[in-house]
């Protein structure tokens, strides 16, 4: 049997195989898709997904056949992290933008933040999760495996994170021409950032999508 026949009828992407050519690129979904990565593991997974989309899905073109973007405009990516070095990561062709539009860096003076919580929220039931004996860890280069620090930094940057998620949803939904939004959250659960904020980000994203 001819090798190309095998590829065309059994292995090509167009027949759900793993071999693909540029002409095999797939049409995008008809709904908005938001991929959110949390922490270092989330960044790796997000970039892996982005790389696959860049290589396998049809890219938007103008009337002259010029490419307008590296991936469909109804798909958006956002990495939320406490580590500045995350923005330097790459997987295949996928990278994070230099202007920071797809990375939300959450950081603050940890010592001052901890002191503020202790002074202002010591008796607040909503802050029962916070350990009043926590010492200064993390900041600047990640949450250093401390989930409370990751969550604290998210709360400190909550408005900015919510605005970024909302903006991405609005733009992706407009590009899709649909009010349907699919949200994919990528994270590890063994560190400080992703493990500390994944549940909050999931609820926030659902609330923001519902408000749309």
């Amino acid at each position: 049997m001819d090798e190309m026949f095998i590829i065309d009828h059994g292995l090509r992407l167009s027949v759900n195989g793993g071999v693909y050519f540029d002409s095999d690129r797939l049409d995008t979904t008809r709904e908005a898709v938001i991929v959110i990565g949390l922490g270092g593991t989330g960044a790796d997974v997000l970039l892996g997904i982005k790389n696959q989309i860049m290589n396998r899905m049809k890219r938007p073109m103008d009337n002259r056949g010029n490419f307008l973007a590296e991936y469909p405009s109804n798909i958006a990516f956002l990495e939320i992290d406490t580590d500045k070095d995350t923005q330097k990561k790459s997987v295949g062709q996928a990278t994070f933008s230099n202007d920071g539009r797809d990375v939300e860096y959450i950081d603050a003076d940890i010592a001052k933040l901890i002191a503020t919580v202790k002074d202002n929220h010591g008796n607040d039931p909503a802050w029962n999760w916070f350990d009043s004996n926590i010492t200064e860890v993390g900041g600047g280069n990640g949450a250093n495996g401390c989930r409370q620090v990751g969550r604290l930094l998210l709360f400190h940057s909550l408005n900015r994170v919510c605005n970024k998620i909302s903006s991405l949803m609005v733009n992706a939904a407009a590009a899709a021409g649909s009010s349907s939004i699919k949200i994919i959250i990528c994270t590890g659960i063994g560190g400080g950032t992703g493990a500390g904020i994944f549940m909050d980000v999931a609820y926030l994203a659902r609330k923001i999508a519902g408000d749309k």
Side-chain angles (χ1 to χ4, degrees), residues 30 46 58 72-73 77 117-118 130 143-144 151 179-180 192 204:
R30 294 183 179 179
L46 180 151
K58 292 180 180 178
S73 53
F77 300 92
V117 174
K118 289 180 178 179
F130 182 77
N144 286 349
R151 195 179 196 204
S179 60
S180 177
L204 287 170

Side-chain angles (χ1 to χ4, degrees), residues 70-133:
E70 296 177 321
Y71 52 86
S73 53
N74 66 307
I75 302 175
F77 300 92
L78 176 63
E79 165 66 12
I80 302 173
D81 208 345
T82 57
D83 188 347
K84 288 181 178 178
D85 291 338
T86 295
Q87 195 159 347
K88 302 175 184 177
K89 288 189 171 188
S90 64
V91 174
Q93 298 180 41
T95 60
F96 291 116
S97 61
N98 293 326
D99 59 11
R101 68 178 180 273
D102 52 7
V103 177
E104 192 60 55
Y105 176 62
I106 53 176
D107 188 33
D109 185 316
I110 301 298
K112 289 183 179 180
L113 206 52
I114 291 173
T116 299
V117 174
K118 289 180 178 179
D119 292 342
N120 300 327
H121 303 287
N123 299 316
D124 187 345
W127 286 83
N128 283 345
W129 59 270
F130 182 77
D131 182 359
S132 60
N133 295 316

